[in-house]
Amino acid sequence: QVQLVESGGGLVQAGASLRLSCSVSGRNFGRFAMGWFRQVPGKEREFVASISWSGDKPEYADSLKGRFTISRADAKNAISLQMNSLKPEDTGVYYCSAAVGRGPYSSDYDYAYWGQGTQVTVSS
């Protein structure tokens, strides 16, 4: 099985930056497309970013382009999400996910494995 563990969340002020990391267990990490989603209570889970298993095809939610960057490091079995110029509306629980396929995928229905999530809170 694949296990995902997120880290790097926290409480920051608007305009600050955070870098989230996701550690992935398993020797087949290179065959999974990876994604980041976020969710706040009472709302549907929202797509943030995804990257193909080759690591050269990133995809982002339109509203986040230019501020968020997803990257992949197969040798370290990890992906990252660099978040810049954070806004209060970026607050939420951020989940790392893995999908069987090349990707990228923007729908949460394509992802079979999920981490526990890490809280990101942006104050104004």
Side-chain angles (χ1 to χ4, degrees):
Q1 294 184 349
V2 176
Q3 291 184 324
L4 311 176
V5 181
E6 302 96 334
S7 63
L11 174 63
V12 299
Q13 191 174 21
S17 297
L18 279 176
R19 186 176 181 86
L20 305 183
S21 295
C22 176
S23 298
V24 185
S25 65
R27 295 181 181 274
N28 294 323
F29 172 70
R31 296 187 178 183
F32 292 105
M34 303 295 296
W36 287 97
F37 291 78
R38 66 187 183 186
Q39 188 172 29
V40 297
K43 295 184 178 181
E44 296 294 323
R45 189 159 48 198
E46 177 186 14
F47 170 71
V48 174
S50 181
I51 191 166
S52 62
W53 70 19
S54 63
D56 60 355
K57 294 183 178 180
E59 183 177 328
Y60 302 93
D62 289 340
S63 62
L64 302 178
K65 291 180 180 179
R67 292 198 299 119
F68 287 16
T69 303
I70 186 171
S71 60
R72 184 167 190 158
D74 288 352
K76 298 181 179 180
N77 289 330
I79 61 167
S80 298
L81 182 69
Q82 179 67 42
M83 305 185 294
N84 298 325
S85 301
L86 284 165
K87 305 174 181 179
E89 54 261 41
D90 294 320
T91 294
V93 178
Y94 284 69
Y95 297 93
C96 178
S97 56
V100 179
R102 292 184 179 275
Y105 305 111
S106 60
S107 173
D108 56 357
Y109 295 107
D110 291 316
Y111 292 87
Y113 305 100
W114 296 83
Q116 293 294 107
T118 184
Q119 178 70 45
V120 173
T121 303
V122 184
S123 65
S124 59

